[in-house]
Amino acid sequence: QEQPELRAVRTALEMIAALDKLNRERAERGQFAIKIGIGVNTGPVTAGNIGHVRRLEYTVIGDAVNLASRLAGLASGGQVYCDEATYLAAGSPADATELPPTPVKGKAKPVAVYCIGEADGG
């Protein structure tokens, strides 16, 4: 794929937009809103069937996956967070907000984090 980081960021923003539309429909029916935060990170991963022969699951593992998960955990509903490598490889999106370096479990130093799109999650 060409420009995988840019494609990943665009897909994350499309997911948020689709969820916003769904939540408007849910609100009309008196249902609660569903909220997600998305983390996008760049780096090598191991992908494949992992587990025991009786219970294999296709998944991805590795430090890049762990950081993406940590970023998703930091993002509030409606926010897309990414690391600096993704931000740069995605062309330094103009609608990104640089956040203060953030301590993240598993990392010795705080991580540079960017919020793509609306920083307030709306």
Side-chain angles (χ1 to χ4, degrees):
Q1 300 271 343
E2 290 185 25
Q3 300 180 304
E5 296 86 358
L6 179 59
R7 293 166 58 94
V9 167
R10 284 182 179 165
T11 299
L13 293 171
E14 288 172 8
M15 290 169 61
I16 297 296
L19 185 59
D20 286 345
K21 180 182 179 207
L22 174 64
N23 279 334
R24 286 191 297 276
E25 294 168 6
R26 290 177 61 81
E28 290 173 5
R29 295 190 300 260
Q31 297 173 316
F32 65 90
I34 298 170
K35 297 184 179 193
I36 61 170
I38 298 176
V40 182
N41 184 40
T42 298
V45 300
T46 299
N49 290 314
I50 297 175
H52 187 271
V53 72
R54 289 185 166 177
R55 184 160 187 247
L56 289 174
E57 291 185 33
Y58 188 86
T59 191
V60 290
I61 59 173
D63 185 59
V65 177
N66 294 341
L67 182 53
S69 177
R70 303 279 188 247
L71 293 173
L74 294 171
S76 296
Q79 292 180 320
V80 176
Y81 280 13
C82 71
D83 70 314
E84 185 171 40
T86 302
Y87 167 77
L88 294 172
S92 305
D95 61 347
T97 303
E98 184 175 5
L99 304 175
T102 305
V104 176
K105 182 179 175 183
K107 295 290 182 185
K109 294 188 238 175
V111 174
V113 178
Y114 294 80
C115 181
I116 309 291
E118 296 185 38
D120 66 359

